[in-house]
Amino acid sequence: MNEYRGFFNICRRSLQLENVLQTGQAFRWVLDSESGWYTNTLKLYPLTPEFQIIRLKQNDSKLEYHLESSIKLESREIHNWIKQYFRMEVDVEKLCEEQWLPNDSTFKGKNLRGVRVLQQEPWETLISFICSSNNNIPRISQMCQKLSSHYGNLLNKHEFSNYYSFPTSEELCDRASVESLRSLGFGYRARYIIETAKLLVQQKKIVGIINDTEYFQYISNLYKNDYLQIREHLMGYSGVGPKVADCVCLMGFHMDDIVPIDVHIGRVAKRDYKFVASKKELAILRDTYSTMKLTKKKINYELELIRLMFKELWGPYAGWAEGILFFREISTPTTLAPISKESKKKRLFADTLYDPKNALKEPNRRQNKYIKTEV
DNA sequence: ACTAGACCTGGCGTC
DNA sequence: CAAGCCAGGTCTAGG
């Protein structure tokens, strides 16, 4: 095992780990509340095709990292990889000030809470968000952990926990089945996952690519990074509709201007932005998508117009703006996968620490919102 | 083309 | 105490 350590000078205004790692972007980060370290296994592509064990911890001025690697790597390359994972080149505060605030007063005086959009591996992102449908974050996290621990490869054993890679499409095809996934509690998503893995294996074979990450890179190049065509391709997988496809585009293909539209942001559009779909715009959209088989079949034109409105309003980093609004909209204490009662308690405390409003929130707020929307 | 329901599961507030 | 609702959706069958 090779070990690497390093750090970034970064403050919590720019990056707040709990608000990035635990809020429904990535699902396999595990916090050890005793030490404050987050641990995960990640594929440091293109440095290596193998998964490595990564740990992160931050204080008010620094982000520390620790990498446990099966192979020798360059410290500088690891450093840059992490920098890229967090998209540290993006200045969110400046974006807010210069791009969002002038057009959208809801960002006035807003605490950005160190929310960022991660750049993630497309295959794992795809499967993770297939799991997300009609589901909650704790269970999605649990499912992603199960995929790793049951179908991934053991990377290393530690005192209390083992670390596994996230399974490749081949590994899922070989080791998993609809029945085994169902018995692990995946519900109806079991079929989606198996069908998606099978299709991907097939597709890779056709173009002679073995690595999942490389295949999606190939797709991105093939379509010259064209969003509509890549989304169309993604919606060819079972269990992938517009929302999941957009999440993969935003986080897996780092298309920063893509705003995934879910129930929350749809509600925000109507309630706070007085969104109404016009017949004319709907007609134009139908015409635009008339030649795209899957898009035509799976898209909801009203939600698509909402997506376009936000893209127009927020510009090239619209997806980031959405991430911040989304965080605020749901900001209920979130939990990560598994862990002990005690660590859960501490995490809840940590969440409320940075948003005092949470403590004041009345239980039926969500219902009231729905009612408001109807008026 | 478009709209209801169904769909696995586990946790939670309400009756 | 148990039936019911909800959770970052998608799929399918019908009018």
Side-chain angles (χ1 to χ4, degrees), chain A residues 20-29 40 85 118 120 141 336:
Chain A
V20 175
L21 305 183
Q22 300 188 38
T23 50
Q25 284 192 59
F27 298 95
R28 294 196 302 120
W29 285 99
N40 194 1
Y85 181 74
L118 295 171
Q120 305 197 68
S141 304
L336 265 192

Side-chain angles (χ1 to χ4, degrees), chain A residues 140-330:
Chain A
I140 302 166
S141 304
Q142 198 179 60
M143 287 160 83
C144 293
Q145 298 289 5
K146 280 182 178 174
L147 286 175
S148 288
S149 60
H150 288 262
Y151 309 111
N153 300 316
L154 182 62
L155 302 177
N156 202 0
K157 294 185 183 203
H158 283 245
E159 198 174 355
F160 293 113
S161 43
N162 299 340
Y163 295 98
Y164 299 87
S165 63
F166 189 83
T168 64
S169 53
E170 276 83 5
E171 286 166 350
L172 271 184
C173 283
D174 294 345
R175 303 169 185 176
S177 65
V178 175
E179 298 73 46
S180 67
L181 284 172
R182 272 195 175 260
S183 70
L184 287 176
F186 282 74
Y188 63 84
R189 302 164 197 84
R191 186 168 59 83
Y192 299 159
I193 292 169
I194 296 297
E195 285 178 358
T196 295
K198 281 186 175 162
L199 179 55
L200 188 61
V201 167
Q202 238 176 57
Q203 291 173 327
K204 286 194 298 178
K205 200 176 242 174
I206 292 171
V207 294
I209 292 173
I210 296 167
N211 184 301
D212 295 322
T213 315
E214 271 171 31
Y215 178 75
F216 284 114
Q217 203 162 296
Y218 162 83
I219 287 299
S220 175
N221 291 336
L222 179 67
Y223 295 125
K224 301 189 166 52
N225 214 30
D226 179 76
Y227 163 66
L228 289 180
Q229 296 199 60
I230 290 174
R231 183 175 62 170
E232 172 81 6
H233 174 90
L234 289 171
M235 289 198 292
Y237 300 105
S238 179
V240 179
K243 162 66 173 49
V244 171
D246 281 348
C247 284
V248 177
C249 284
L250 174 62
M251 293 164 235
F253 289 84
H254 50 276
M255 295 184 180
D256 299 308
D257 58 336
I258 299 308
V259 182
I261 305 298
D262 55 59
V263 288
H264 298 296
I265 202 74
R267 178 175 56 245
V268 169
K270 292 175 187 170
R271 183 194 62 199
D272 300 341
Y273 293 84
K274 313 297 176 211
F275 169 85
V276 185
S278 81
K279 291 252 193 288
K280 191 183 169 190
E281 288 173 309
L282 285 168
I284 292 171
L285 215 49
R286 275 197 203 96
D287 189 51
T288 309
Y289 296 157
S290 62
T291 59
M292 308 186 80
K293 204 175 150 195
L294 294 171
T295 304
K296 205 167 59 172
K297 181 175 156 193
K298 295 191 176 186
I299 212 83
N300 173 317
Y301 287 94
E302 190 193 26
L303 295 183
E304 181 72 354
L305 279 179
I306 292 177
R307 185 183 74 73
L308 290 168
M309 173 187 76
F310 282 128
K311 177 176 161 142
E312 181 76 16
L313 181 65
W314 294 330
Y317 287 85
W320 290 59
E322 185 267 356
I324 288 155
L325 279 201
F326 176 77
F327 176 78
R328 182 209 200 189
E329 181 70 11
I330 60 165

Side-chain angles (χ1 to χ4, degrees), chain A residues 90 100 116 193 215 225 228 235 301 346 353 360 369:
Chain A
V90 178
W100 305 334
R116 312 185 65 80
I193 292 169
Y215 178 75
N225 214 30
L228 289 180
M235 289 198 292
Y301 287 94
K346 287 198 182 175
L353 197 62
L360 302 172
K369 274 181 194 166

